[in-house]
Amino acid sequence: MPGNALTANGSALTQAERTAISDKAMLDAAIDLILEHGTDGTTLQAIGEKAGYSRGLATYRFGSKAGLFDEVCKSISRRWLNYLNNVVGDKDGIDAMSVALDAFFQFISDSPRDARVLQILYCGAASPKSEYRQTSVNIHQRQRDDVANWIRAGMQAGSVREDADAESVAVQYIAYISGMTYLWLINPESVDFGKANEDMKQQLRRWLQQ
Amino acid sequence: MPGNALTANGSALTQAERTAISDKAMLDAAIDLILEHGTDGTTLQAIGEKAGYSRGLATYRFGSKAGLFDEVCKSISRRWLNYLNNVVGDKDGIDAMSVALDAFFQFISDSPRDARVLQILYCGAASPKSEYRQTSVNIHQRQRDDVANWIRAGMQAGSVREDADAESVAVQYIAYISGMTYLWLINPESVDFGKANEDMKQQLRRWLQQ
DNA sequence: ATAAAACTTGTTGTCGACAAGCAAGTGAGT
DNA sequence: ACTCACTTGCTTGTCGACAACAAGTTTTAT
């Protein structure tokens, strides 16, 4: 199943390669299965076997079901944040927030599976005793800090009004995205994400432009 | 344990009274346990026994664990929507939306247990195969419709600009509340819900006032 | 007294977790 | 370059917990 080029030692695969391959296979399998059956409905046995391994590997590798989900959450978040950083570049202020909204819409359109699973996992993190709540808290806090920094940079650059409260705007912005994504997840047809983003951009301009 | 007044027949309790009492006891027990252990961590046995019954009653009454959670969700939602309707009364437009924001903050402050459990259950509804997703969809849709109607009424009454898009505003509003509540749930200290609501009210005035 | 409804107990299949074992890979000493 | 001790990746056996269902018991109704 894996490639058959030999390593320097003459062995088929390095240990690091083996784990990398099985890791990725299991994370991919988990995404598919979470999409289809939700977190409760996916079993470690199903993940292991869909990935081409035994029922026991997922527990061995990730410690627990929650540990695996935490890793899926971090993995998808990394992809999204990388993409976001590329798109925003060194923009700031209203520009940065606007292209970030466009980027998120693009992410949802291009990678709906990743986006859906990420939101499902965020929702799972809401439960008390959730072993990956901290991951969700950290990611949301980081995004919030990024937005606040964009606004402060915009104020310094002169594109954002001096009397704006960066933290307040950031909270509104993150709450909007989080809430919209939830509504989209539970009932995709009921929301026009693109239209809502245009409205949000207009609001931000009204609020922040001087 | 229950009251000891006899019914007309000489029996201690009517059948309807018995189910009403055990129903309420189990829903209350479920709220406590969900708060403490999350939905995954609460067992039907724990719910039944905390309510003062056997491990089997919850399944017998609600059909399944998901059926019980659905009932908890509907039960708390009813309380919230009743309270909301009383507060809003026949207000419309920006007034209605503003007092609704205040009412929600009040709800969270006065009944944080109910508010937290409701949000936890909404999050659970995000999972595919969730047996009570439709309940969450219906409640969110209804609240969205209410908001849109407030705005249309405000437009007719002349307090809201004629060129406002009621549906768009309603989506933004519901997304804001949904997102804020999630952020509050996963990390209560990180958000100043009252301050954010004041910001939101200001935004709505800026957007809708003519 | 007989039916019906509320409630409990017995049972089964599934799942996550852990432990013990097997197989593949690694690297130091020769 | 070979090998042998060791490590790491992975699998299988097993156990306790749980939801669901069925069959049974108790309480209320007629």
Side-chain angles (χ1 to χ4, degrees), chain B residues 86-116:
Chain B
N86 278 342
V87 169
V88 171
D90 55 359
K91 291 191 179 63
D92 61 23
I94 300 172
D95 281 354
M97 298 172 82
S98 292
V99 300
L101 286 175
D102 291 339
F104 192 63
F105 183 64
Q106 198 73 22
F107 177 62
I108 278 183
S109 306
D110 293 349
S111 313
R113 300 169 70 82
D114 281 4
R116 291 184 79 82

Side-chain angles (χ1 to χ4, degrees), chain B residues 20-131:
Chain B
I21 290 170
S22 61
D23 251 44
K24 177 161 175 23
M26 285 194 291
L27 293 178
D28 286 347
I31 288 176
D32 285 351
L33 289 166
I34 291 171
L35 254 179
E36 194 172 356
H37 303 113
T39 49
D40 288 17
T42 71
T43 67
L44 294 172
Q45 174 166 11
I47 292 172
E49 289 174 357
K50 186 180 175 84
Y53 297 86
S54 71
R55 61 184 168 77
L57 185 58
T59 302
Y60 167 75
R61 184 66 49 77
F62 299 102
S64 69
K65 195 175 177 181
L68 166 59
F69 289 165
D70 188 31
E71 219 46 57
V72 174
C73 192
K74 285 173 175 160
S75 158
I76 300 178
S77 291
R78 263 192 297 272
R79 285 202 285 277
W80 154 240
L81 290 173
N82 271 342
Y83 177 62
L84 176 64
N85 285 338
N86 278 342
V87 169
V88 171
D90 55 359
K91 291 191 179 63
D92 61 23
I94 300 172
D95 281 354
M97 298 172 82
S98 292
V99 300
L101 286 175
D102 291 339
F104 192 63
F105 183 64
Q106 198 73 22
F107 177 62
I108 278 183
S109 306
D110 293 349
S111 313
R113 300 169 70 82
D114 281 4
R116 291 184 79 82
V117 169
L118 185 58
Q119 184 65 25
I120 290 169
L121 292 173
Y122 283 163
C123 282
S127 198
K129 300 273 181 75
S130 167
E131 298 178 41

Side-chain angles (χ1 to χ4, degrees), chain A residues 100-169:
Chain A
L101 286 175
D102 291 338
F104 192 63
F105 183 63
Q106 199 72 23
F107 177 61
I108 279 183
S109 306
D110 293 350
S111 314
R113 301 169 71 81
D114 281 4
R116 292 184 78 82
V117 169
L118 185 58
Q119 184 65 26
I120 290 169
L121 292 173
Y122 283 162
C123 283
S127 199
K129 300 273 182 76
S130 167
E131 297 177 43
Y132 54 98
R133 152 184 288 175
Q134 197 55 47
T135 299
S136 172
V137 170
N138 291 345
I139 294 168
H140 282 91
Q141 187 63 46
R142 176 176 160 189
Q143 298 199 313
R144 212 175 114 177
D145 292 343
D146 285 347
V147 174
N149 286 331
W150 294 341
I151 294 169
R152 281 188 279 265
M155 287 165 71
Q156 285 201 326
S159 62
V160 173
R161 334 174 14 160
E162 287 296 330
D163 61 338
D165 179 347
E167 294 298 337
S168 294
V169 179

